[in-house]
Amino acid sequence: MENQSAKKVWFVTGASKGFGLEFIKQVLANGDAIAATSRSIDGLKKAAGTDSENFLPLEVELTDETSVGNAIAETIAKFGRIDYVVNNAGYGLAGSLEELSDAEARHNFDVNVFGSLNVIRQVMPHLRRQESGHIFNISSIAGVTGGFPGFGIYCATKFAVVGFTEALQVEAKPFGIKVSLVLPGYFRTNFLESDSLITPAKQMEEYKEVRNVLSIHQNQIKGNQQGDPVKGVAEILKVAGIENAPLYLFLGSDALQMAQNKISFLHNETENWKHVSTATDF
């Protein structure tokens, strides 16, 4: 085993850009170690720009559980343990439910949902043996509110992350493992760039609102997002390992506002229709 000087060990997916790349910078600056994954190890090394002994770049295909398992094993072999896991990898898909093909929708789920599940299955045995650890699953405010025309499948993947993370939190607690959901709003990363936001191969001219919403995202919101990824990652690092870590961690004032709006909406819906809800009991 090498390099026992690092304080803590992080395992972060999707680390060649955005939040993931910022994790590399801040984790190393804190003196911790980080194993970072990407589909291209050359691109990852170039983006990270470091040869620190505390940095382990890994080429991983998250939809291949064997590839994920090998990456976890390499991390343990080099650093001896894993303390924090960040399921960060994912991409956006912008198209109406009707025009997106089955293959396009399923691939979004394969990466955004099943990729994280592959990591969880492979890392949990190690965390259980340690009786410690903290898993951060990166969802989105789009995992709480789905009212974005053209983003239904993407929202569905992020809703799925919310659902399985809530279950994981109670499943992992007896083993001393903490679990947190991170739900960012709009952050000034490359999420709205063409390599991170995919559009349908076959678009339908009938969906003018969907095209308009996409145009707003690409031409008005992109580059003007109010969230600072440097500050976002810094706040996650503050939460890491604290005794009473939150299950829900909203990042950004916009995310907080949208979450509060959803809470108000649900409250009003349940109050307005409780006479129907309660009419079905024996």
Side-chain angles (χ1 to χ4, degrees), residues 212-226:
N212 183 53
V213 168
L214 179 58
S215 176
I216 290 171
H217 277 78
Q218 293 178 323
N219 299 312
Q220 297 179 30
I221 297 176
K222 185 176 73 173
N224 295 306
Q225 300 97 318
Q226 66 189 61

Side-chain angles (χ1 to χ4, degrees), residues 61-97:
E61 179 52 65
L62 290 177
T63 59
D64 180 347
E65 193 161 2
T66 299
S67 178
V68 173
N70 290 340
I72 297 291
E74 282 190 58
T75 304
I76 299 293
K78 180 171 178 62
F79 298 121
R81 61 187 291 115
I82 295 175
D83 298 290
Y84 303 116
V85 178
V86 182
N87 280 310
N88 170 69
Y91 70 94
L93 183 62
S96 72
L97 297 180

